Amino acid sequence: MKVVPKSPARRPNPAKLVLPGALGELKKPVTRTWISDLAACSEGLMDKFVIRGGNRLVGSIRISGSKNAALPAMAAAILTDEPVVLENIPDVRDIQTERNLLVSMGAEVELGYGRASHRTTISCRDLVNPEAAYEVVKTMRASTLVLGPLVARMGRARVSQPGGCAIGARPIDLHIKGLERLGATIKQEHGYIEASADRLRGGHIIFDKITVTGTEDLMMAASLAEGETVMENCAREPEVVDLAALLIKMGANIEGAGTSTMRIQGVEELHGARHRIIPDRIETGTFVIAAVLTGGDLTLTNCDPNHLGALIQKLEECGVSITASADSMRITNGHQLTAADVDTEEFPGFPTDMQAQYMTLATQAQGTSIITENIFENRFMHAQELARMGANIKVEGRRAVVRGKTSLSSAAVQCSDLRASASLVLAALVADGETIIDRVYHIDRGYERIEEKLKSVGAQIRRIGEFLPRRAAVPSVVA
Ligand code: EPZ
């Protein structure tokens, strides 16, 4: 579909552009509120979950929209000066952070309430500050997804380097290399990436490694570049395909999303669009394992089983029966689980974001499961916490050997990252006694009201808060 360009991409007037370092002079109140918003988000920072194990989960849970599809979609709004309406946005902390980031640049972001609570309207007509500051990037690495769109639309971007992460080094060198291949000039100093280009031009990018946000970032940048871009060794995740679907609705010319080679014909400008975000496959997978572990009978609605092929296959190998339709899954499990090895891979392989939850399942399976983490070099933080609950797990580098079945007993445990937190909640659902899980702000980043959803199908779970004073500093959370 070739878009007839209306007029050269309407870039904001450079005279109005606020260059880095001038932030303090910004008179616009927006920024001030953004900082207090961020501090406000810290409320609930010391919340804990108290979970009494042993209840079967019975009933139905509605799955929320995908965090990892919503974040790049919100960044894509930067590419046009027309409003972008996104539906099925999950109400999780990372979406708040992304909203604050866009507002700090001068965007208008309306998060819906009530019936429209999962809709957001973003207008990037008057972007004035092409910057993602360290304060934001240190709390959410995905904020680096604004790099490509900012350079493509505004010709300039200043984005903080993300820094270390609980689950691995996670550099963004492939994003930078890709932008350079599209003609951007990149300077890295004082912990920031400064990228600029009069107009990006099409190029040939072969990713050294498959990277999800790298593919998304450069797909967005190439959409407004001059000429054709060919990207090889791309990520094929459903979130990448969903972003391509949005960009095509905005007027982009993209072929091959979901395969390892994409062709993008750059266009002069993109326009507004309305798009429904895909369901969250990792939230779905987490609840599937909750049903299996508790011997429950659970139906998950508003989900997409096609996005979970590898997990479903692995669980069937463990003896689980799952009935799926186009947008729902029913899990009934009464049998003893059998151990099965798992290797995390890029999509369509077994997702690394389900590795921690699968480890909890492996503690309840008869036999030895070997879990190999191939994507991130340090993603077994949950193993020690599960061991505190009585699990038999031996970690050797990127391999974890789990011997089961072991009975888990309640203990005080703490979250280290988003998916590790989910594995502890799952363990507490089957542990004997009352488990206290600390630092659940990690789980709030990517699961919408998980305790309410679990309670609605019979779990004994409650949130207790030790509210800190409103202006508490936000610790650097990663992953
Ligand atoms: C995305 O992270 C997801 N985050 C992650 O989900 C997910 O674990 C990951 O993909 C893998 O599936 C979002 O989509 C917001 P990568 P991303 O770039 O894109 C290395 C969750 O729990 N690499 O595909 O950051 C990297 O270190 C989160 O929701 C480079 O070396 O992951 C890793 O080893 C956690 N250089 C591997 O590639 C780069 O420039 C894959 O990382 C980029 C990546």
Side-chain angles (χ1 to χ4, degrees):
M1 177 180 69
K2 190 87 194 95
V3 175
V4 182
K6 276 183 280 177
S7 60
R10 272 195 297 273
R11 288 199 177 162
N13 166 355
K16 271 208 259 162
L17 267 182
V18 174
L19 299 176
L23 199 58
E25 292 139 20
L26 252 184
K27 298 280 167 285
K28 270 181 116 173
V30 176
T31 309
R32 305 228 175 296
T33 46
W34 164 61
I35 292 174
S36 56
D37 270 358
L38 186 64
C41 283
S42 68
E43 232 173 71
L45 199 60
M46 302 314 282
D47 283 9
K48 302 175 195 295
F49 282 157
V50 180
I51 302 176
R52 175 166 293 285
N55 293 35
R56 288 180 69 233
L57 300 186
V58 178
S60 169
I61 291 179
R62 182 183 164 76
I63 297 298
S64 300
S66 162
K67 165 187 79 82
N68 289 349
L71 293 172
M74 291 174 79
I78 292 170
L79 294 165
T80 175
D81 55 8
E82 294 178 14
V84 170
V85 181
L86 301 173
E87 288 167 349
N88 203 28
I89 291 278
D91 183 4
V92 296
R93 191 185 292 275
D94 276 7
I95 296 298
Q96 273 296 342
T97 307
E98 181 86 359
R99 173 193 165 275
N100 293 332
L101 172 59
L102 292 169
V103 167
S104 79
M105 296 177 185
E108 280 161 32
V109 181
E110 194 196 299
L111 278 181
Y113 293 96
R115 270 164 54 74
S117 65
H118 292 88
R119 182 185 308 143
T120 187
T121 305
I122 305 171
S123 165
C124 293
R125 192 186 49 243
D126 302 319
L127 292 187
V128 289
N129 169 43
E131 176 167 331
Y134 176 63
E135 286 72 25
V136 180
V137 176
K138 77 175 180 184
T139 66
M140 182 183 75
R141 318 176 57 74
S143 18
T144 53
L145 273 164
V146 299
L147 182 60
L150 283 174
V151 182
R153 164 98 189 283
M154 301 180 72
R156 158 191 295 282
R158 184 168 187 263
V159 172
S160 168
Q161 286 274 16
C165 166
I167 64 177
R170 300 184 73 183
I172 57 168
D173 56 319
L174 302 177
H175 300 231
I176 295 166
K177 269 194 220 159
L179 272 179
E180 283 173 332
R181 292 197 71 82
L182 298 182
T185 308
I186 306 263
K187 237 179 9 174
Q188 300 189 53
E189 57 184 11
H190 310 304
Y192 277 78
I193 300 150
E194 304 226 5
S196 60
D198 286 343
R199 180 162 184 209
L200 294 173
R201 57 177 190 279
H204 188 190
I205 299 171
I206 305 174
F207 289 104
D208 302 345
K209 243 184 181 178
I210 294 176
T211 159
V212 176
T213 50
T215 302
E216 293 166 342
D217 199 7
L218 294 162
M219 176 165 66
M220 290 190 275
S223 299
L224 278 180
E226 191 160 12
E228 180 182 69
T229 296
V230 177
M231 303 202 307
E232 294 188 61
N233 201 23
C234 297
R236 295 180 278 163
E237 270 65 4
E239 295 77 21
V240 171
V241 176
D242 198 43
L243 178 63
L246 166 62
L247 292 170
I248 290 168
K249 282 181 190 162
M250 292 169 68
N253 189 332
I254 300 172
E255 286 161 17
T259 74
S260 45
T261 301
M262 271 197 250
R263 263 177 210 289
I264 302 156
Q265 306 295 337
V267 295
E268 286 286 338
E269 66 172 17
L270 294 170
H271 50 73
R274 177 186 284 267
H275 180 68
R276 184 176 174 76
I277 296 291
I278 55 173
D280 196 309
R281 63 192 167 104
I282 307 300
E283 183 196 23
T284 311
T286 303
F287 286 129
V288 167
I289 292 190
V292 171
L293 283 172
T294 60
D297 180 349
L298 203 56
T299 300
L300 303 176
T301 60
N302 188 46
C303 64
D304 187 339
N306 296 321
H307 294 165
L308 283 166
L311 176 71
I312 294 171
Q313 197 169 285
K314 186 54 63 181
L315 293 178
E316 283 166 355
E317 213 181 304
C318 298
V320 176
S321 64
I322 295 175
T323 340
S325 73
D327 60 1
S328 74
M329 297 167 77
R330 182 166 177 207
I331 307 97
T332 51
N333 179 51
H335 330 289
Q336 170 53 57
L337 293 166
T338 322
D341 298 347
V342 88
D343 289 45
T344 64
E345 304 289 350
E346 295 86 3
F347 191 86
F350 190 95
T352 173
D353 293 347
M354 282 304 303
Q355 178 259 97
Q357 301 91 317
Y358 184 81
M359 185 180 281
T360 303
L361 180 133
T363 67
Q364 300 308 297
Q366 212 58 47
T368 301
S369 314
I370 298 177
I371 299 176
T372 307
E373 173 54 57
N374 294 312
I375 307 295
F376 294 109
E377 61 274 25
N378 181 36
R379 201 169 201 179
F380 286 140
M381 300 285 274
H382 40 284
Q384 297 106 316
E385 298 300 304
L386 290 172
R388 283 177 48 71
M389 298 177 76
N392 179 343
I393 304 171
K394 202 158 172 312
V395 173
E396 303 147 354
R398 287 198 179 213
R399 263 169 40 116
V401 180
V402 185
R403 290 195 171 74
K405 165 181 177 138
T406 51
S407 332
L408 299 179
S409 61
S410 60
V413 290
Q414 68 179 12
C415 308
S416 54
D417 63 79
L418 173 58
R419 307 305 170 185
S421 331
S423 76
L424 300 180
V425 168
L426 295 174
L429 290 174
V430 288
D432 168 30
E434 206 166 64
T435 297
I436 298 181
I437 305 180
D438 199 354
R439 299 183 178 192
V440 295
Y441 59 77
H442 281 289
I443 212 165
D444 292 338
R445 295 192 47 208
Y447 289 89
E448 181 173 332
R449 280 185 275 284
I450 191 170
E451 77 274 23
E452 288 169 25
K453 290 191 178 186
L454 285 171
K455 210 186 285 177
S456 71
V457 290
Q460 274 188 277
I461 176 171
R462 67 185 196 280
R463 175 188 294 261
I464 55 171
E466 287 172 35
F467 292 111
L468 290 176
R470 200 167 161 71
R471 292 234 164 279
V474 175
S476 64
V477 280
V478 287

